[in-house]
Amino acid sequence: MTSHKNDGPKLPVQQLAILAIARFAEPLALTSVFPYLPEMIASFGVEKNEVARWAGLTGAIFSISQSCTAVAWGRASDKFGRKPIILIGLLSTMICFLVWGMSTSLPMAITARAIMGSGNGNVGIIRTMVAEMVPERVLQPKAFSLMPLVWSIGSVFGPAFGGFFAQPAKQFPNVFGNIEFFKTYPFALPNIMACCVFFISFMTGLLFLKETLESKRNKRDWGLELGEKLTRPFHRSKRTKNLRRRSFVDSEASAPLLAQSAMSSSSSHLESKHSDPVSMKDIFAPQTSINLICYTFLALHSVAYDQVLPVFLNYPRVIPDEHNTSLPFKFTGGFGLSSDKIGTIYTVYGISCGVIQFFLFPKLCAMFGVLGIYRFATVVFPIIYFLTPYTVLVQDTTARHIFFLTIMLVKGFVVIVAFPCTTILLTNSATSLRILGTLNGVATTFSGLGRAAGPAAAGAVFSWGVQRGYVIAAWWFLGLIALMGTIPPWFIIEGDGPTASSTATSTSTSDGEEESLLQRDDDDDSSVDGYDEVAVLEALEGEDSESETEPGKERKKRTTNGSYGTMNNGTAS
């Protein structure tokens, strides 16, 4: 008998990497807006004191639109599959970003943002795919921290694009000064560059991303077939090197392990099992509701902070005197930074978040638990918000920037651990795998409402405050909201996750259906075209006597070492 190299569960690294590429384009594009957003709003003829209000509303309209359609996209992914909905979201966002970059008026910009938000429900769907790819709780901290890590990496490049390439005719007159297009549309270049990344993400997902919705895994995927044909010359040499019986594998390894009738029977069974409607009672269970409240609070204040911060950094410096300053509450002014310097600050911020996510988060989860880390993060948020406005009182430029960057790094630490923690907690509060798509759609709706209300309200409060000499108004407003958000986490009970119910359903099915669907390990070098080569060889050589005497043991080993795919006509789907 042969044994696998690793007896424990493994991450489906290849598919998670492809999913990360699809996810990468969104933070890249969305964060590229932050550095130049105040200048873009001002270019539409908006007064300086009103820039924060309209910047907040511009961000809010995106979140409102996204929240209105998130459940619909989630239900669509439950019905039609995760992959096609993700591809639609990428394509829609790519087109809308081009329109956004060429906006010449405030109504046009707001309309573009509204359509952009309503056409993209990928946040919740990608989270659902990760949960379906990685049901093992021991692997969840690493798996669920991947997408926030991708967000951090995108947050490094996004602000750099926005800060350094906005208004190219003005910043680089020798290169772009004679190009009339960039004079007419000064904020188009960073969006064009982001759209190139969107196109790469779209094509990667189309050609290589595998469906994770159980009832759709056995459906024919033209994109995967095209991707397989394109990459076949690169795989052929590797297969030839690894095969121990080349002539046998050449003739037999491409044949399906299961009869097509068995596949059809299993597929129809899975489709009927997943066709039951998801009720609101399933979605809004007590623990799920608490987790949704926590997620909404987190999205509200953390996103509002990021939206208002560029306006604060761009707002002109005000020297404190007896007329405009009465400590500890009355003072005003900002940092007076241009878009390129704001882009640099966000780049440093993104790099720091990436380092924290990659090196610290999994270790902290192992040491203190997901719920413990999340509770700690919620306590730190209000402290950060209360301290932020006081950075402008430091008169020395170097000391002021060090003080501010220190606060930004602490904020980056807590936000980069809070979001994956709340995602894990929300996923593990689900009662069944079949509701994950809709649940994450609901979560996107709730967080969208928070991400809409937060920036809109914080922007309005910021404008109100600076007009009256109270720059602390917006930050203390967010601090009070974050303080309220520290209460619900103490009522959370960590759930066992939706895998328990799915496992029970799986074991209750008849022999030869779900248990007969051989799963594969994407990282196993002995697999060829989605099949376990060793299993095929042993089956035909008659060396599987141990498997016959201990079928439960063999089945357990395969399901543990497998990922999430099933076989159909020689292709893992």
Side-chain angles (χ1 to χ4, degrees):
M1 283 297 295
T2 60
S3 59
H4 289 275
K5 288 179 286 187
N6 293 319
D7 293 332
K10 294 190 295 184
L11 287 172
V13 178
Q14 294 176 1
Q15 284 299 297
L16 285 173
I18 295 168
L19 199 62
I21 294 173
R23 180 71 174 121
F24 175 75
E26 295 184 52
L28 178 76
L30 291 174
T31 59
S32 68
V33 174
F34 292 158
Y36 66 78
L37 184 59
E39 295 179 354
M40 185 180 188
I41 298 296
S43 71
F44 298 147
V46 177
E47 294 183 4
K48 194 68 177 178
N49 287 342
E50 295 294 322
V51 166
R53 184 194 307 273
W54 287 107
L57 288 174
T58 303
I61 195 66
F62 174 88
S63 299
I64 291 174
S65 302
Q66 192 175 55
S67 66
C68 290
T69 59
V71 174
W73 285 122
R75 289 186 179 275
S77 74
D78 286 338
K79 182 176 181 180
F80 302 107
R82 318 298 187 202
K83 178 177 176 177
I85 305 303
I86 284 179
L87 295 179
I88 291 173
L90 287 172
L91 186 61
S92 171
T93 308
M94 179 177 68
I95 296 172
C96 289
F97 256 100
L98 283 175
V99 178
W100 160 265
M102 293 187 289
S103 298
T104 55
S105 65
L106 190 59
M108 181 178 178
I110 291 177
T111 302
R113 292 285 286 180
I115 299 174
M116 189 189 307
S118 62
N120 191 331
N122 285 2
V123 176
I125 298 171
I126 288 177
R127 201 159 48 230
T128 301
M129 292 191 75
V130 174
E132 290 170 334
M133 288 179 184
V134 188
E136 299 88 357
R137 294 191 66 184
V138 67
L139 298 178
Q140 285 181 342
K142 288 185 178 180
F144 280 103
S145 67
L146 177 62
M147 296 309 151
L149 174 61
V150 172
W151 179 275
S152 299
I153 297 173
S155 299
V156 174
F157 293 97
F161 282 176
F164 296 124
F165 295 105
Q167 305 184 80
K170 179 180 177 182
Q171 293 200 66
F172 309 103
N174 294 333
V175 180
F176 301 101
N178 296 325
I179 302 177
E180 195 63 31
F181 177 83
F182 292 117
K183 292 181 180 179
T184 306
Y185 307 107
F187 304 102
L189 183 58
N191 292 279
I192 293 173
M193 297 176 69
C195 285
C196 293
V197 181
F198 265 102
F199 180 76
I200 295 173
S201 298
F202 176 85
M203 293 305 300
T204 303
L206 176 67
L207 297 176
F208 305 112
L209 184 61
K210 299 175 183 177
E211 181 60 62
T212 61
L213 183 63
E214 205 168 9
S215 61
K216 299 294 181 182
R217 289 178 189 168
N218 295 325
K219 301 296 183 181
R220 187 172 188 180
D221 190 323
W222 298 96
L224 279 179
E225 291 183 6
L226 177 59
E228 182 184 352
K229 290 179 181 178
L230 293 175
T231 57
R232 187 174 296 165
F234 301 99
H235 292 311
R236 187 169 296 160
S237 58
K238 181 179 178 180
R239 293 171 186 169
T240 303
K241 180 180 178 181
N242 287 335
L243 299 181
R244 63 181 187 183
R245 280 193 183 183
R246 298 179 186 177
S247 59
F248 168 79
V249 173
D250 288 342
S251 59
E252 300 292 341
S254 59
L257 295 182
L258 299 177
Q260 186 62 35
S261 58
M263 288 296 177
S264 302
S265 174
S266 299
S267 178
S268 60
H269 168 75
L270 293 175
E271 282 199 49
S272 63
K273 185 177 73 172
H274 284 266
S275 61
D276 298 333
V278 177
S279 67
M280 289 296 102
K281 185 178 179 181
D282 295 329
I283 298 296
F284 294 103
Q287 280 299 308
T288 303
S289 299
I290 296 174
N291 278 280
L292 287 172
I293 293 172
C294 293
Y295 190 50
T296 303
F297 267 106
L298 178 61
L300 191 154
H301 60 71
S302 65
V303 174
Y305 183 94
D306 290 339
Q307 290 273 350
V308 175
L309 190 61
V311 182
F312 176 61
L313 295 175
N314 181 253
Y315 198 80
R317 288 278 301 148
V318 175
I319 305 299
D321 57 35
E322 64 276 6
H323 301 293
N324 58 36
T325 302
S326 179
L327 296 177
F329 302 119
K330 185 178 181 181
F331 58 94
T332 188
F335 278 66
L337 301 179
S338 60
S339 60
D340 59 330
K341 291 184 174 61
I342 296 174
T344 301
I345 290 175
Y346 270 93
T347 300
V348 174
Y349 175 64
I351 292 173
S352 303
C353 288
V355 171
I356 292 167
Q357 186 70 53
F358 188 77
F359 292 104
L360 294 181
F361 178 69
K363 295 180 180 179
L364 290 173
C365 280
M367 292 175 61
F368 303 106
V370 173
L371 183 56
I373 294 174
Y374 179 64
R375 287 172 174 170
F376 169 78
T378 60
V379 174
V380 177
F381 277 117
I383 300 174
I384 295 169
Y385 300 159
F386 288 137
L387 289 178
T388 296
Y390 290 94
T391 56
V392 300
L393 294 176
V394 181
Q395 296 306 302
D396 181 74
T397 302
T398 303
R400 182 169 64 253
H401 284 92
I402 291 175
F403 184 20
F404 173 76
L405 283 174
T406 301
I407 291 178
M408 282 284 288
L409 292 177
V410 176
K411 196 265 182 182
F413 172 81
V414 292
V415 78
I416 210 65
V417 301
F419 271 108
C421 282
T422 191
T423 300
I424 293 172
L425 293 170
L426 178 63
T427 300
N428 287 337
S429 70
T431 57
S432 171
L433 278 173
R434 70 188 181 90
I435 72 168
L436 271 182
T438 304
L439 175 60
N440 281 315
V442 172
T444 303
T445 297
F446 274 75
S447 68
L449 294 174
R451 286 183 285 115
V461 173
F462 185 91
S463 295
W464 178 90
V466 295
Q467 289 173 0
R468 291 161 177 80
Y470 290 91
V471 76
I472 70 167
W475 308 113
W476 281 53
F477 169 74
L478 293 176
L480 292 174
I481 293 176
L483 202 58
M484 294 170 57
T486 62
I487 300 174
W490 297 96
F491 295 93
I492 293 178
I493 300 173
E494 264 194 278
D496 294 328
T499 54
S501 59
S502 64
T503 303
T505 304
S506 173
T507 56
S508 65
T509 57
S510 60
D511 292 335
E513 288 189 346
E514 280 185 80
E515 290 181 352
S516 69
L517 299 179
L518 299 182
Q519 296 181 325
R520 67 181 287 260
D521 184 352
D522 288 354
D523 295 330
D524 195 342
D525 291 335
S526 66
S527 64
V528 180
D529 284 333
Y531 295 121
D532 190 335
E533 175 203 345
V534 177
V536 176
L537 291 170
E538 290 178 348
L540 296 185
E541 290 172 355
E543 297 174 1
D544 57 347
S545 58
E546 183 178 334
S547 174
E548 294 176 359
T549 57
E550 296 180 319
K553 180 179 178 182
E554 181 67 21
R555 185 188 307 120
K556 180 179 180 182
K557 182 184 294 183
R558 288 180 181 174
T559 56
T560 302
N561 286 321
S563 58
Y564 60 88
T566 57
M567 306 305 139
N568 182 29
N569 292 334
T571 305
S573 60

